[in-house]
């Protein structure tokens, strides 16, 4: 820490790094979902978002939505296995 820089400078740097880490995690979860789901299912998933441990998925086909509701716990476990940790706490399908 340099004495000529105000504390606000370091606080702002810390928050910007946290935002980047959260963004990186979101991108990793989305990438892993795409890899596991495959291109066709990914194309039928117009909304894939991840925040605070919750993966939100929206599907354009009702039958696919129903199928994914049944398989969401299995998908959560597979994503966490790929990411080597308990990143995704729950999956919400809308």
């Amino acid at each position: 820490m340099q004495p000529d820089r105000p504390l606000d400078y370091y606080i702002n740097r810390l928050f910007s790094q946290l935002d980047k880490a959260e963004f990186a995690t979101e991108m990793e979860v989305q990438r892993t979902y795409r890899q596991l789901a495959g291109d066709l299912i990914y194309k039928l998933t117009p909304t894939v978002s991840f925040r605070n441990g919750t993966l939100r998925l929206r599907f354009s086909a009702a039958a696919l939505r129903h199928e994914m509701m049944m398989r969401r716990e299995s998908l959560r476990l597979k994503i966490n296995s790929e990411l080597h940790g308990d990143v995704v706490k729950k999956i919400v399908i809308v």
Side-chain angles (χ1 to χ4, degrees):
M1 210 164 139
Q2 298 175 355
D4 60 334
R5 294 200 176 172
L7 185 57
D8 289 351
Y9 169 80
Y10 295 103
I11 292 172
N12 288 334
R13 291 225 21 211
L14 175 65
F15 280 123
S16 70
Q17 289 173 355
L18 290 175
D19 289 343
K20 288 176 188 172
E22 184 176 314
F23 178 74
T25 302
E26 180 177 0
M27 297 309 294
E28 283 296 308
V29 169
Q30 288 181 3
R31 181 194 58 77
T32 303
Y33 170 72
R34 183 176 189 167
Q35 176 186 357
L36 291 172
D39 288 335
L40 178 62
I41 292 176
Y42 187 77
K43 287 178 185 176
L44 295 172
T45 314
T47 303
V48 178
S49 65
F50 178 75
R51 184 167 294 275
N52 298 326
T54 301
L55 176 61
R56 293 187 187 281
L57 304 172
R58 178 173 303 216
F59 296 98
S60 56
L64 180 58
R65 182 179 332 125
H66 178 71
E67 181 68 25
M68 295 304 284
M69 285 287 288
M70 304 301 281
R71 296 178 181 231
R72 67 181 161 193
E73 183 60 20
S74 171
L75 178 62
R76 186 186 74 79
L77 294 173
K78 286 179 183 177
I79 291 172
N80 285 335
S81 175
E82 287 288 321
L83 296 175
H84 305 289
D86 192 25
V87 179
V88 178
K89 307 291 184 205
K90 68 179 180 177
I91 297 178
V92 174
I93 298 180
V94 291

